[in-house]
Amino acid sequence: ADGEEALARAAETLADLIILDIHMPRLDGFGVIRHLRADPSYASVPVIALTASAMAGDRDSVLSAGFSEYISKPVNMSLLRREIARLLENRP
């Protein structure tokens, strides 16, 4: 529902991969990724950013913030499945 809930769920279990919206109430995706990357348990967990923002430069700012991949909405499910498979396959 929001970024704080995302962090609470992440604290409950160690996920293999996270799909995270950028625009969320209370704490946006950029705030969540900062918290996740500061946690050694989540430092290398792939995190896919889903966002309706598809402006020039958005992909670069998302990736430089620590996300593993950027997918714009509306989501192409075939692309999402391919990216999930790729990220999990290449996970250390």
XYZ file of all heavy atoms in Angstrom:
698
model
N 0.821 -1.202 0.000
C 0.000 0.000 0.000
C 0.861 1.260 0.000
O 0.489 2.251 -0.603
C -0.937 -0.003 1.196
N 2.028 1.206 0.672
C 2.920 2.357 0.717
C 4.337 1.884 1.017
O 4.575 0.704 1.273
C 2.440 3.387 1.739
C 2.384 2.857 3.162
O 3.389 2.296 3.644
O 1.328 3.003 3.812
N 5.269 2.807 0.971
C 6.667 2.460 1.167
C 6.995 1.926 2.546
O 7.845 1.051 2.699
N 6.313 2.431 3.554
C 6.571 1.929 4.909
C 6.117 0.484 5.047
O 6.784 -0.323 5.700
C 5.902 2.840 5.934
C 6.590 4.190 6.016
C 5.983 5.124 7.040
O 5.103 4.709 7.808
O 6.419 6.291 7.069
N 5.003 0.141 4.425
C 4.554 -1.256 4.436
C 5.537 -2.137 3.666
O 5.810 -3.267 4.075
C 3.160 -1.388 3.833
C 2.647 -2.823 3.874
C 1.275 -2.997 3.272
O 0.517 -2.023 3.154
O 0.951 -4.149 2.907
N 6.074 -1.628 2.579
C 7.068 -2.390 1.813
C 8.278 -2.728 2.680
O 8.757 -3.865 2.673
C 7.492 -1.606 0.577
N 8.752 -1.761 3.440
C 9.892 -2.020 4.328
C 9.533 -2.999 5.437
O 10.340 -3.853 5.807
C 10.408 -0.714 4.917
C 11.153 0.201 3.951
C 11.509 1.520 4.628
C 12.394 -0.485 3.402
N 8.330 -2.884 5.968
C 7.894 -3.811 7.015
C 7.842 -5.239 6.482
O 8.286 -6.175 7.151
C 6.525 -3.390 7.561
N 7.319 -5.397 5.283
C 7.269 -6.750 4.685
C 8.669 -7.277 4.388
O 8.935 -8.460 4.556
C 6.408 -6.749 3.443
C 4.955 -6.577 3.785
C 4.083 -6.912 2.645
N 2.698 -6.710 3.041
C 1.714 -7.338 2.501
N 1.924 -8.215 1.547
N 0.484 -7.116 2.903
N 9.549 -6.401 3.930
C 10.921 -6.822 3.659
C 11.609 -7.274 4.945
O 12.424 -8.195 4.921
C 11.701 -5.686 3.000
N 11.275 -6.656 6.073
C 11.874 -7.027 7.357
C 11.375 -8.381 7.849
O 12.052 -9.050 8.622
C 11.578 -5.948 8.399
N 10.196 -8.792 7.389
C 9.612 -10.068 7.826
C 10.284 -11.271 7.187
O 10.294 -12.346 7.764
C 8.115 -10.107 7.491
C 7.285 -9.129 8.280
C 5.851 -9.039 7.775
O 5.485 -9.780 6.830
O 5.094 -8.220 8.321
N 10.797 -11.115 5.998
C 11.390 -12.232 5.272
C 12.413 -11.705 4.289
O 12.351 -10.545 3.882
C 10.307 -13.043 4.526
O 10.913 -14.175 3.922
C 9.621 -12.216 3.466
N 13.348 -12.516 3.895
C 14.322 -12.112 2.896
C 13.814 -12.530 1.528
O 13.737 -13.717 1.215
C 15.690 -12.735 3.171
C 16.798 -12.347 2.201
C 16.996 -10.830 2.187
C 18.085 -13.036 2.568
N 13.465 -11.568 0.715
C 12.929 -11.830 -0.620
C 14.057 -12.145 -1.595
O 15.177 -11.679 -1.437
C 12.152 -10.615 -1.111
N 13.742 -12.943 -2.615
C 14.698 -13.222 -3.681
C 14.732 -12.090 -4.700
O 15.735 -11.885 -5.377
C 14.333 -14.519 -4.408
C 14.506 -15.729 -3.516
O 15.485 -15.768 -2.743
O 13.664 -16.635 -3.592
N 13.609 -11.360 -4.801
C 13.467 -10.263 -5.753
C 12.312 -9.400 -5.285
O 11.344 -9.917 -4.718
C 13.183 -10.821 -7.149
C 13.043 -9.813 -8.277
C 13.760 -10.322 -9.521
C 11.594 -9.551 -8.604
N 12.404 -8.101 -5.517
C 11.337 -7.178 -5.126
C 10.903 -6.384 -6.346
O 11.751 -5.924 -7.125
C 11.820 -6.220 -4.016
C 12.138 -7.008 -2.749
C 10.783 -5.128 -3.745
C 12.767 -6.188 -1.652
N 9.604 -6.229 -6.506
C 9.032 -5.354 -7.522
C 8.411 -4.200 -6.763
O 7.564 -4.404 -5.899
C 7.985 -6.093 -8.371
C 8.643 -7.272 -9.088
C 7.338 -5.125 -9.365
C 7.665 -8.186 -9.804
N 8.849 -2.994 -7.078
C 8.508 -1.842 -6.256
C 8.042 -0.688 -7.118
O 8.711 -0.320 -8.088
C 9.763 -1.441 -5.477
C 9.668 -0.397 -4.400
C 8.751 -0.846 -3.271
C 11.061 -0.107 -3.854
N 6.907 -0.121 -6.767
C 6.429 1.077 -7.441
C 7.274 2.256 -6.974
O 7.786 2.261 -5.856
C 4.961 1.309 -7.095
C 4.255 2.244 -8.055
O 4.931 2.918 -8.856
O 3.017 2.301 -8.017
N 7.426 3.237 -7.817
C 8.178 4.429 -7.447
C 7.296 5.422 -6.689
O 7.699 5.983 -5.683
C 8.767 5.118 -8.698
C 9.810 4.233 -9.352
C 9.370 6.479 -8.353
C 11.055 4.013 -8.536
N 6.082 5.614 -7.172
C 5.184 6.611 -6.580
C 4.244 5.934 -5.587
O 3.259 5.323 -5.977
C 4.392 7.329 -7.677
C 5.286 8.011 -8.659
N 6.005 9.137 -8.342
C 5.621 7.707 -9.928
C 6.717 9.500 -9.380
N 6.509 8.653 -10.359
N 4.604 6.036 -4.305
C 3.795 5.465 -3.228
C 3.618 6.520 -2.141
O 4.480 7.379 -1.982
C 4.491 4.236 -2.621
C 4.665 3.081 -3.554
S 5.460 1.674 -2.734
C 7.151 2.280 -2.555
N 2.524 6.415 -1.397
C 2.341 7.351 -0.283
C 3.326 7.070 0.858
O 3.918 6.010 0.932
C 0.902 7.109 0.167
C 0.415 5.896 -0.526
C 1.402 5.528 -1.584
N 3.476 8.041 1.725
C 4.275 7.992 2.953
C 5.772 7.853 2.719
O 6.545 8.551 3.332
C 3.758 6.933 3.912
C 2.367 7.253 4.372
C 1.676 6.249 5.214
N 2.531 5.428 6.048
C 2.070 4.648 6.983
N 0.769 4.581 7.217
N 2.876 3.912 7.697
N 6.199 6.953 1.864
C 7.611 6.791 1.537
C 7.675 6.281 0.109
O 7.144 5.209 -0.191
C 8.277 5.798 2.501
C 9.774 5.563 2.343
C 10.561 6.845 2.629
C 10.240 4.444 3.268
N 8.291 7.055 -0.781
C 8.311 6.638 -2.192
C 9.355 5.549 -2.431
O 10.103 5.161 -1.534
C 8.504 7.836 -3.119
C 9.890 8.471 -3.020
O 10.785 7.918 -2.363
O 10.065 9.544 -3.617
N 9.396 5.048 -3.648
C 10.315 3.974 -3.995
C 11.776 4.339 -3.803
O 12.595 3.491 -3.458
N 12.116 5.619 -4.026
C 13.500 6.043 -3.811
C 13.879 5.956 -2.329
O 14.994 5.567 -1.992
C 13.719 7.461 -4.344
C 13.667 7.533 -5.845
C 12.559 8.043 -6.489
C 14.729 7.082 -6.614
C 12.505 8.103 -7.871
C 14.694 7.137 -7.999
C 13.573 7.654 -8.631
N 12.950 6.292 -1.452
C 13.202 6.150 -0.015
C 13.329 4.691 0.384
O 14.201 4.332 1.188
N 12.489 3.854 -0.187
C 12.539 2.416 0.121
C 13.856 1.817 -0.344
O 14.508 1.081 0.399
C 11.339 1.670 -0.498
C 11.485 0.163 -0.322
C 10.034 2.147 0.117
N 14.276 2.138 -1.567
C 15.511 1.539 -2.079
C 16.716 1.992 -1.256
O 17.641 1.208 -1.023
C 15.714 1.795 -3.597
C 16.759 0.848 -4.198
C 16.108 3.222 -3.888
C 16.358 -0.566 -4.301
N 16.718 3.234 -0.775
C 17.821 3.693 0.096
C 17.897 2.829 1.358
O 18.980 2.418 1.769
C 17.643 5.160 0.472
C 18.152 6.120 -0.561
C 18.246 7.548 -0.043
N 16.975 8.080 0.435
C 16.044 8.622 -0.349
N 16.229 8.686 -1.655
N 14.931 9.093 0.164
N 16.741 2.564 1.981
C 16.707 1.721 3.180
C 17.151 0.293 2.853
O 17.920 -0.303 3.602
C 15.300 1.692 3.782
C 14.964 2.886 4.594
N 14.497 4.053 4.041
C 15.041 3.107 5.926
C 14.283 4.932 4.983
N 14.606 4.391 6.148
N 16.648 -0.248 1.755
C 16.988 -1.628 1.400
C 18.476 -1.776 1.117
O 19.108 -2.720 1.596
C 16.180 -2.088 0.187
C 14.682 -2.291 0.407
C 13.996 -2.621 -0.913
C 14.416 -3.384 1.439
N 19.039 -0.886 0.356
C 20.459 -0.996 -0.012
C 21.376 -0.755 1.186
O 22.516 -1.228 1.196
C 20.800 -0.057 -1.160
C 20.119 -0.424 -2.480
C 20.431 -1.844 -2.886
N 19.907 -2.153 -4.212
C 19.360 -3.303 -4.539
N 19.247 -4.274 -3.641
N 18.926 -3.509 -5.763
N 20.895 -0.074 2.207
C 21.686 0.135 3.426
C 21.680 -1.103 4.319
O 22.529 -1.232 5.203
C 21.150 1.334 4.205
N 20.749 -2.018 4.090
C 20.635 -3.258 4.857
C 21.473 -4.333 4.162
O 21.202 -4.673 3.013
C 19.161 -3.674 4.915
C 18.925 -4.960 5.674
O 19.878 -5.741 5.906
O 17.758 -5.206 6.021
N 22.491 -4.877 4.825
C 23.339 -5.891 4.184
C 22.551 -7.082 3.622
O 22.963 -7.674 2.620
C 24.283 -6.332 5.301
C 24.297 -5.202 6.272
C 22.935 -4.565 6.187
N 21.426 -7.413 4.223
C 20.615 -8.527 3.733
C 20.012 -8.243 2.362
O 19.707 -9.164 1.606
C 19.472 -8.830 4.705
O 19.974 -9.176 5.964
N 19.817 -6.970 2.046
C 19.183 -6.579 0.789
C 20.134 -5.863 -0.166
O 19.712 -5.387 -1.218
C 17.955 -5.704 1.053
C 16.748 -6.531 1.406
C 16.349 -6.690 2.715
C 16.024 -7.174 0.410
C 15.252 -7.475 3.041
C 14.929 -7.962 0.720
C 14.552 -8.102 2.034
O 13.469 -8.892 2.350
N 21.402 -5.817 0.167
C 22.353 -5.083 -0.667
C 22.422 -5.623 -2.093
O 22.603 -4.862 -3.036
C 23.729 -5.105 -0.029
N 22.244 -6.935 -2.268
C 22.364 -7.506 -3.617
C 21.064 -8.121 -4.130
O 21.064 -8.753 -5.176
C 23.477 -8.559 -3.642
O 23.127 -9.654 -2.805
N 19.976 -7.938 -3.408
C 18.680 -8.466 -3.866
C 18.189 -7.605 -5.030
O 18.152 -6.385 -4.922
C 17.646 -8.474 -2.716
C 16.257 -8.812 -3.231
C 18.072 -9.456 -1.640
N 17.833 -8.231 -6.158
C 17.331 -7.453 -7.284
C 16.021 -6.744 -6.933
O 15.132 -7.337 -6.324
C 17.092 -8.498 -8.376
C 17.825 -9.723 -7.952
C 17.907 -9.660 -6.462
N 15.934 -5.474 -7.324
C 14.728 -4.680 -7.100
C 14.354 -4.031 -8.429
O 15.137 -3.261 -8.990
C 14.921 -3.601 -6.017
C 13.626 -2.822 -5.811
C 15.383 -4.232 -4.705
N 13.167 -4.374 -8.917
C 12.651 -3.808 -10.166
C 11.759 -2.629 -9.832
O 10.845 -2.746 -9.021
C 11.852 -4.855 -10.960
C 12.743 -6.031 -11.356
C 11.213 -4.211 -12.209
C 11.996 -7.185 -12.024
N 12.020 -1.502 -10.472
C 11.180 -0.309 -10.311
C 10.098 -0.331 -11.382
O 10.390 -0.485 -12.560
C 12.015 0.952 -10.458
N 8.849 -0.213 -10.939
C 7.726 -0.040 -11.861
C 7.244 1.383 -11.703
O 7.024 1.842 -10.589
C 6.576 -0.989 -11.517
C 6.793 -2.465 -11.727
C 5.526 -3.229 -11.394
C 7.221 -2.771 -13.136
N 7.080 2.068 -12.814
C 6.671 3.456 -12.708
C 5.938 3.926 -13.950
O 6.185 3.431 -15.041
C 7.888 4.364 -12.447
O 7.450 5.711 -12.330
C 8.923 4.247 -13.537
N 5.049 4.869 -13.736
C 4.365 5.513 -14.851
C 5.229 6.622 -15.429
O 4.937 7.153 -16.491
C 3.021 6.071 -14.387
N 6.312 6.961 -14.745
C 7.229 7.999 -15.232
C 8.084 7.425 -16.351
O 8.857 6.503 -16.121
C 8.141 8.487 -14.112
O 7.387 9.065 -13.080
N 7.918 7.966 -17.517
C 8.684 7.480 -18.665
C 9.308 8.654 -19.410
O 9.354 8.677 -20.622
C 7.800 6.658 -19.573
N 9.770 9.617 -18.674
C 10.399 10.790 -19.259
C 11.883 10.498 -19.508
O 12.461 9.603 -18.895
C 10.265 11.988 -18.316
C 8.838 12.330 -17.949
S 7.833 12.798 -19.352
C 8.451 14.423 -19.630
N 12.474 11.278 -20.382
C 13.903 11.144 -20.660
C 14.672 11.307 -19.351
O 14.409 12.224 -18.582
C 14.343 12.195 -21.667
N 15.581 10.408 -19.097
C 16.392 10.485 -17.886
C 15.840 9.723 -16.698
O 16.559 9.492 -15.739
N 14.564 9.324 -16.741
C 13.982 8.596 -15.604
C 14.691 7.267 -15.370
O 14.987 6.914 -14.235
C 12.487 8.346 -15.809
C 11.646 9.592 -15.605
O 12.158 10.570 -15.021
O 10.483 9.586 -16.037
N 14.961 6.539 -16.438
C 15.635 5.241 -16.303
C 16.990 5.413 -15.617
O 17.326 4.669 -14.691
C 15.797 4.579 -17.659
C 16.516 3.253 -17.610
C 16.649 2.635 -19.006
N 17.406 1.418 -18.976
C 16.961 0.234 -18.564
N 15.713 0.119 -18.146
N 17.732 -0.825 -18.562
N 17.755 6.407 -16.062
C 19.079 6.634 -15.471
C 18.987 6.981 -13.996
O 19.765 6.482 -13.184
C 19.811 7.749 -16.218
C 20.203 7.342 -17.628
O 20.332 6.122 -17.891
O 20.384 8.238 -18.462
N 18.032 7.831 -13.618
C 17.925 8.209 -12.201
C 17.463 7.038 -11.349
O 17.917 6.881 -10.221
C 17.041 9.434 -11.984
O 15.894 9.401 -12.731
N 16.598 6.186 -11.895
C 16.139 5.006 -11.157
C 17.293 4.030 -10.948
O 17.528 3.546 -9.838
C 14.950 4.341 -11.897
C 14.697 2.930 -11.405
C 13.696 5.188 -11.755
N 18.032 3.750 -12.005
C 19.141 2.806 -11.889
C 20.258 3.352 -11.005
O 20.839 2.609 -10.216
C 19.669 2.433 -13.274
C 18.679 1.672 -14.166
C 19.300 1.411 -15.537
C 18.212 0.376 -13.529
N 20.530 4.648 -11.090
C 21.592 5.216 -10.248
C 21.178 5.279 -8.776
O 22.033 5.352 -7.896
C 22.019 6.589 -10.752
O 20.984 7.522 -10.606
N 19.877 5.207 -8.503
C 19.395 5.202 -7.118
C 19.582 3.830 -6.453
O 19.451 3.711 -5.240
C 17.927 5.606 -7.067
N 19.877 2.810 -7.261
C 20.109 1.483 -6.683
C 19.169 0.400 -7.153
O 19.300 -0.754 -6.743
N 18.210 0.744 -8.001
C 17.323 -0.280 -8.547
C 18.090 -1.129 -9.554
O 19.024 -0.661 -10.202
C 16.112 0.359 -9.233
C 15.109 0.932 -8.278
C 15.207 2.245 -7.855
C 14.073 0.152 -7.792
C 14.289 2.791 -6.967
C 13.148 0.676 -6.903
C 13.259 1.997 -6.491
N 17.675 -2.377 -9.710
C 18.326 -3.299 -10.636
C 17.793 -3.159 -12.052
O 18.511 -3.415 -13.013
C 18.109 -4.742 -10.180
O 18.469 -4.883 -8.832
N 16.538 -2.769 -12.164
C 15.900 -2.632 -13.472
C 14.764 -1.636 -13.373
O 14.244 -1.386 -12.283
C 15.393 -3.988 -13.977
C 14.942 -3.998 -15.416
C 15.980 -3.460 -16.388
O 17.002 -4.128 -16.616
O 15.761 -2.336 -16.903
N 14.373 -1.101 -14.515
C 13.317 -0.080 -14.624
C 12.335 -0.553 -15.676
O 12.738 -0.892 -16.791
C 13.974 1.225 -15.050
C 13.062 2.298 -15.596
C 12.580 3.301 -14.774
C 12.716 2.322 -16.942
C 11.776 4.311 -15.278
C 11.911 3.327 -17.451
C 11.446 4.313 -16.619
O 10.655 5.302 -17.108
N 11.059 -0.611 -15.331
C 10.008 -0.976 -16.278
C 8.895 0.043 -16.141
O 8.398 0.298 -15.042
C 9.484 -2.407 -16.032
C 10.617 -3.424 -16.231
C 8.306 -2.707 -16.951
C 10.239 -4.860 -15.945
N 8.511 0.636 -17.263
C 7.458 1.647 -17.220
C 6.086 1.008 -17.367
O 5.945 -0.075 -17.932
C 7.686 2.712 -18.291
O 7.642 2.133 -19.571
N 5.091 1.697 -16.822
C 3.704 1.265 -16.925
C 3.099 1.864 -18.177
O 3.509 2.952 -18.581
C 2.914 1.732 -15.699
C 3.363 1.102 -14.418
C 2.555 1.682 -13.272
C 3.024 1.169 -11.933
N 2.289 1.779 -10.833
N 2.128 1.239 -18.802
C 1.564 -0.051 -18.434
C 2.589 -1.162 -18.643
O 3.393 -1.116 -19.564
C 0.365 -0.217 -19.369
C 0.641 0.664 -20.529
C 1.508 1.778 -20.016
N 2.552 -2.125 -17.748
C 3.552 -3.187 -17.721
C 3.288 -4.206 -18.818
O 2.180 -4.715 -18.957
C 3.551 -3.890 -16.347
C 4.525 -5.048 -16.332
C 3.880 -2.892 -15.252
N 4.321 -4.481 -19.583
C 4.301 -5.567 -20.552
C 4.685 -6.823 -19.769
O 5.830 -6.961 -19.323
C 5.305 -5.276 -21.667
C 5.445 -6.404 -22.650
O 5.519 -7.566 -22.275
N 5.502 -6.054 -23.923
N 3.740 -7.717 -19.565
C 3.972 -8.884 -18.708
C 5.061 -9.810 -19.238
O 5.808 -10.393 -18.463
C 2.665 -9.653 -18.480
C 1.649 -8.867 -17.657
S 2.316 -8.258 -16.078
C 2.516 -9.775 -15.190
N 5.188 -9.925 -20.545
C 6.266 -10.754 -21.107
C 7.624 -10.163 -20.749
O 8.538 -10.886 -20.364
C 6.138 -10.855 -22.627
O 4.970 -11.536 -22.970
N 7.748 -8.849 -20.860
C 8.990 -8.180 -20.490
C 9.267 -8.351 -19.003
O 10.398 -8.654 -18.605
C 8.917 -6.690 -20.839
C 10.071 -5.828 -20.342
C 11.395 -6.255 -20.981
C 9.785 -4.364 -20.596
N 8.254 -8.184 -18.183
C 8.438 -8.339 -16.736
C 8.913 -9.747 -16.397
O 9.865 -9.919 -15.633
C 7.145 -8.009 -15.988
C 7.200 -8.138 -14.468
C 8.257 -7.224 -13.865
C 5.832 -7.848 -13.873
N 8.298 -10.758 -16.977
C 8.718 -12.141 -16.728
C 10.166 -12.370 -17.167
O 10.942 -13.019 -16.464
C 7.776 -13.128 -17.418
C 6.469 -13.316 -16.693
C 5.674 -14.496 -17.251
N 5.189 -14.257 -18.602
C 4.053 -13.622 -18.901
N 3.279 -13.173 -17.944
N 3.684 -13.471 -20.153
N 10.537 -11.834 -18.333
C 11.919 -11.988 -18.820
C 12.917 -11.329 -17.875
O 13.974 -11.882 -17.577
C 12.066 -11.383 -20.219
C 11.623 -12.269 -21.344
C 12.109 -11.773 -22.704
N 11.896 -10.358 -22.958
C 10.794 -9.840 -23.498
N 9.777 -10.608 -23.828
N 10.715 -8.533 -23.711
N 12.580 -10.128 -17.407
C 13.487 -9.417 -16.508
C 13.610 -10.129 -15.171
O 14.704 -10.207 -14.605
C 13.047 -7.968 -16.326
C 13.246 -7.121 -17.555
C 14.687 -7.137 -18.047
O 15.629 -7.042 -17.228
O 14.879 -7.260 -19.266
N 12.515 -10.637 -14.654
C 12.578 -11.402 -13.397
C 13.488 -12.615 -13.577
O 14.377 -12.860 -12.750
C 11.163 -11.833 -12.942
C 10.371 -10.614 -12.473
C 11.249 -12.902 -11.847
C 8.899 -10.893 -12.225
N 13.289 -13.365 -14.651
C 14.118 -14.544 -14.908
C 15.586 -14.165 -15.051
O 16.469 -14.818 -14.480
C 13.619 -15.270 -16.156
N 15.869 -13.088 -15.785
C 17.248 -12.646 -15.993
C 17.903 -12.248 -14.674
O 19.033 -12.647 -14.375
C 17.286 -11.470 -16.982
C 18.689 -10.945 -17.246
C 18.668 -9.711 -18.125
N 18.055 -8.557 -17.505
C 18.642 -7.741 -16.634
N 19.889 -7.970 -16.249
N 18.008 -6.701 -16.113
N 17.196 -11.477 -13.879
C 17.764 -11.005 -12.614
C 17.987 -12.148 -11.631
O 19.005 -12.174 -10.921
C 16.870 -9.931 -11.994
C 16.879 -8.592 -12.741
C 15.746 -7.708 -12.250
C 18.221 -7.905 -12.608
N 17.069 -13.094 -11.582
C 17.244 -14.222 -10.667
C 18.351 -15.155 -11.141
O 19.110 -15.705 -10.333
C 15.928 -14.992 -10.498
C 14.856 -14.249 -9.725
C 13.567 -15.065 -9.697
C 15.304 -13.925 -8.301
N 18.471 -15.307 -12.444
C 19.511 -16.161 -13.015
C 20.902 -15.590 -12.755
O 21.850 -16.323 -12.511
C 19.279 -16.291 -14.514
C 20.256 -17.208 -15.217
C 19.914 -17.321 -16.690
O 18.863 -17.890 -16.989
O 20.714 -16.829 -17.513
N 21.024 -14.281 -12.780
C 22.320 -13.630 -12.609
C 22.622 -13.236 -11.173
O 23.632 -12.595 -10.909
C 22.394 -12.369 -13.492
C 22.381 -12.731 -14.956
O 22.919 -13.756 -15.350
N 21.741 -11.905 -15.754
N 21.770 -13.639 -10.252
C 21.976 -13.270 -8.850
C 23.169 -14.027 -8.275
O 23.317 -15.214 -8.476
C 20.725 -13.602 -8.044
C 20.829 -13.070 -6.650
C 19.497 -12.903 -6.012
N 19.741 -12.355 -4.696
C 19.180 -12.810 -3.591
N 18.299 -13.769 -3.653
N 19.471 -12.290 -2.433
N 24.033 -13.311 -7.531
C 25.216 -13.974 -6.939
C 24.836 -15.006 -5.903
O 23.824 -15.031 -5.337
C 25.996 -12.822 -6.304
C 25.163 -11.611 -6.363
C 23.977 -11.906 -7.219
